[in-house]
């Protein structure tokens, strides 16, 4: 009873409802919410590390039944050399993602999974390496100048944020049809909207620097690296070609070719596209099936295998 009451209270808080929602979560809803919680742990820690030079508070790593959570790999000790401006941007998003972690944990209560092992450092360099190899059509190792350190270089930090944000949006869209409870669906829609704002903002930032060099070496422009990251996400998540960079090429109704910004990635109907949980897992595992990339030991919870 007590835990039911707590869940109802949490839901009422989440949804701003006057009366507590009926709150027995289905097994599917628990699985989906825990899947989302894993992704939010990842994002919250990444932005926390960028803004504050430390992971999210360790009290939030613990699972709902006291399971120990894990410290992330690759978080810098203390603040790096990001500009104040980039850090303030990271600060805002860190608070959003931390809020999502707290909210999902509150709704899940004793069913909340612990924070899994996260890689918020070397995995970015591995993703950048794979993206640059795609862009340069080579399998040879690429040496970046400056070294690809996402906590010490604004440009790299924005590229790292870009790796995640669109994935978050498409993951929440894809999860919608799996959710049983309307209250949970509403809460998920509220989170989805915030992830979409983040995605649009990071894509706008990158679009403003599209003609700049992303690295001193190799000589690749920001728009080409963004395209390569998008191609990498497409390559690892399966056969469908959904993902997009920040520039689009098309033809007007009378056949005149144009180049437009592509700050908002859409499908042919100009609405958001979706990803299955398997497609999302393939991306965050950087091609792996049950672990790898940003989750070196896999996600915690029922949905963890692609
Ligand atoms: C960040 O990387 C860019 C692109 O290579 C470079 O021009 C800039 O000097 C770097 N900034 C820092 C602080 O290392």
């Amino acid at each position: 009873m007590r835990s039911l009451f707590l869940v109802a209270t949490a839901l009422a808080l989440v949804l701003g409802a006057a009366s507590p929602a009926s709150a027995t979560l289905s097994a599917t809803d628990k699985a989906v919410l825990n899947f989302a919680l894993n992704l939010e742990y990842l994002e919250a820690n990444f932005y926390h590390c960028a803004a504050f030079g430390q992971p999210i508070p360790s009290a939030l790593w613990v699972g709902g039944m006291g399971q120990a959570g894990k410290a992330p790999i690759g978080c810098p000790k203390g603040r790096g050399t990001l500009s104040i401006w980039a850090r303030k941007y990271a600060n805002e998003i860190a608070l959003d993602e931390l809020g999502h972690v707290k909210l999902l944990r509150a709704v899940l209560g004793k069913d909340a999974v612990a924070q899994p092992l996260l890689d918020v450092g070397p995995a970015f360099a591995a993703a950048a390496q794979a993206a640059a190899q795609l862009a340069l059509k080579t399998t040879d190792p690429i040496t970046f100048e400056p070294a690809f350190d996402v906590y010490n270089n604004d440009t790299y930090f924005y590229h790292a944020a870009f790796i995640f944000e669109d994935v978050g949006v498409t993951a929440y869209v894809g999860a919608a049809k799996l959710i049983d409870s309307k209250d949970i669906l509403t809460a998920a829609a509220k989170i989805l909207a915030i992830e979409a704002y983040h995605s649009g903002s990071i894509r706008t930032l990158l679009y403003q620097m599209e003609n700049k060099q992303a690295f001193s070496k190799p000589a690749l422009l920001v728009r080409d690296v963004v395209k390569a990251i998008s191609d990498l996400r497409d390559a690892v998540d399966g056969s469908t070609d959904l993902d997009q960079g920040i520039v689009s090429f098309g033809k007007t109704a009378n056949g005149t070719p144009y180049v437009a910004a592509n700050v908002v990635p859409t499908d042919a109907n100009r609405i958001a596209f979706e990803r299955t949980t398997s497609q999302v897992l393939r991306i965050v595992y950087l091609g792996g099936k049950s672990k790898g990339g940003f989750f070196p030991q896999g996600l915690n919870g029922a949905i963890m295998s692609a």
Side-chain angles (χ1 to χ4, degrees), residues 3-26 29 33 102-109 179 181-188 190:
S3 66
L4 260 188
F5 172 75
L6 283 178
V7 173
T9 310
L11 268 176
L13 283 173
V14 169
L15 303 170
S19 59
S22 84
T24 25
L25 294 177
S26 70
D29 283 358
L33 290 174
K102 289 181 176 167
L103 183 141
L104 291 168
R105 287 171 56 89
V107 172
L108 280 158
I179 295 173
S181 152
K182 276 199 182 175
D183 291 336
I184 298 295
L185 186 59
T186 304
K190 290 180 178 180

Side-chain angles (χ1 to χ4, degrees), residues 2 8 12 23 40 58 85 117 131 170 207 228 254 279:
R2 191 173 126 80
E40 298 290 354
S58 56
W85 200 81
L117 182 64
T170 55
Y207 181 65
N254 61 19
Q279 288 175 312

Side-chain angles (χ1 to χ4, degrees), residues 156-264:
Y156 293 171
F157 165 67
Y158 296 136
H159 282 88
F162 173 78
I163 294 176
F164 289 156
E165 290 299 346
D166 298 336
V167 181
V169 173
T170 55
Y172 276 99
V173 175
K177 59 172 164 282
L178 305 175
I179 295 173
D180 291 320
S181 152
K182 276 199 182 175
D183 291 336
I184 298 295
L185 186 59
T186 304
K190 290 180 178 180
I191 300 180
L192 164 61
I194 301 308
E195 301 300 345
Y197 284 124
H198 294 165
S199 166
S201 71
I202 193 65
R203 295 177 70 99
T204 304
L205 279 173
L206 289 164
Y207 181 65
Q208 286 174 323
M209 52 170 97
E210 60 146 342
N211 285 316
K212 287 203 175 141
Q213 291 249 138
F215 316 104
S216 306
K217 255 173 80 180
L220 286 169
L221 300 180
V222 167
R223 66 163 171 271
D224 296 328
V225 176
V226 168
K227 168 82 166 44
I229 293 170
S230 143
D231 288 345
L232 176 69
R233 291 190 301 217
D234 252 342
V236 296
D237 79 357
S239 55
T240 45
D241 181 13
L242 303 167
D243 212 316
Q244 299 151 29
I246 45 176
V247 186
S248 76
F249 302 88
K251 280 195 175 139
T252 61
N254 61 19
T256 315
Y258 66 76
V259 182
N262 195 46
V263 162
V264 181

Side-chain angles (χ1 to χ4, degrees), residues 81 145-146 152-156 213-217:
T81 56
E145 282 173 26
N152 286 309
N153 184 299
D154 288 9
T155 307
Y156 293 171
Q213 291 249 138
F215 316 104
S216 306
K217 255 173 80 180

